[in-house]
Amino acid sequence: MRELQLVRARRLEWRERPEPGLIEPGDAIVRPFVAGRCDGDTLPIHRHVSRAMQIGIRAGLIDPVVASICGAVPFQGPFGIGHECIAEVIEIGPEVADLAPGDFVVVPWAVSCGDCRECRRGLTAKCATTRTNTLAAFGFGPASGPWGGMVADRLRIPYADHMLVRLPDGLDPLRVAAAANDNLADAWRCIVPPLAERPGGSVLVLGGAAQSLGLYAAGLAVAHGAEIVDYVDHRPERLAIAEKLGARAHPVKKGRLRRADLPPRRYDIVVEGTSTAAGVDAGLRALQPGGTCSPVGYYLPPRTKVPLMHMYANDATLKIGVSHVRPVLLDFIARTGFPAEQVTTLLADWDDAPDAYRAHTTKLVLHRQPLGVR
């Protein structure tokens, strides 16, 4: 079967890998038919980072946890890339009770069992059953397990009744752009729970490295009644989308972000998507007393500075971590018509994946026809 593999920076190819089969009675085989490119995937696609990151880890300039996720030579190809998809169930094992062939399902990016201590606490990305290293995940290479990438003809999904989340009837898969299993779900957890604790609160989103995630966060904040939603970025494309989603767009110059570059107010919630220590500092200093800042990017240096004394004096919360995805937002999108599809900037044919995946665009979505298995 075919799998999209990153060979090296700026080169992706369809390559053959063995077709998966049912191994455990709780397994399912699914066929992805909508796939999104995660914001984080663009790093190794557009830049020659593998050897530089390896040297950085050895020199103590990059946190060694990166190697435990992405390999001793991080992102070294070839490996199956992609970890956002909506799929069609093709085959189920004898112990799968809640799914049937033909169901459309969201496939979470991290592999989890649903029953270990971590999973019961909601920490599905840290599942003790499936994880032999820092993560058990699709699309990051062998260091994160044997799962392959999601831009593939078939995937084996263990613990299928727990892992797979059925799409609500009538919800167009392109509406959620496959990001319900990562970027969109990540934006949800940064915005919706903290905003529920601060009804009508104010929200600041610092865009940039978290390209689509920041836009999803801005749109969700507007949809959930935030009094003010300010979106800061340097790219006109994303600023225009933020305005369509109802946020106030604030252009800044590309480069080091400073508190002085931000709107002159303070916020209950900040989503930091620049992937820089300067962005974290600016976001924390922009908080109202008791506010929450959620950084969502890659922070590679092992000694990233944060303004602890300022946080102490302002009673600030810094909340950071991988997303533990259960796509609770699907019913919200189906019920409200939340326009998540406005974040998609390139919709491409599945067969064109090797070229489309290299595009310099905010949110790429690949699609093909489902089989209609019943």
Side-chain angles (χ1 to χ4, degrees), residues 56 60-66 275-277 298-305:
L61 302 175
I62 293 177
D63 197 299
V65 74
V66 173
S275 286
T276 65
Y298 293 163
Y299 302 89
L300 301 180
R303 290 174 290 276
T304 301
K305 294 181 180 180

Side-chain angles (χ1 to χ4, degrees), residues 2 31-35 86-88 90 102 104 152-154 172-174 347-351 366-373:
R2 294 188 311 173
R31 176 183 181 265
F33 66 95
V34 177
I86 294 172
E88 182 179 13
I90 301 299
F104 292 171
D153 288 338
R154 298 285 193 276
D172 184 347
L174 292 177
L347 184 62
D349 187 87
W350 190 272
D351 289 337
L366 304 167
H367 70 115
R368 59 181 171 178
Q369 285 294 115
L371 296 177
V373 176

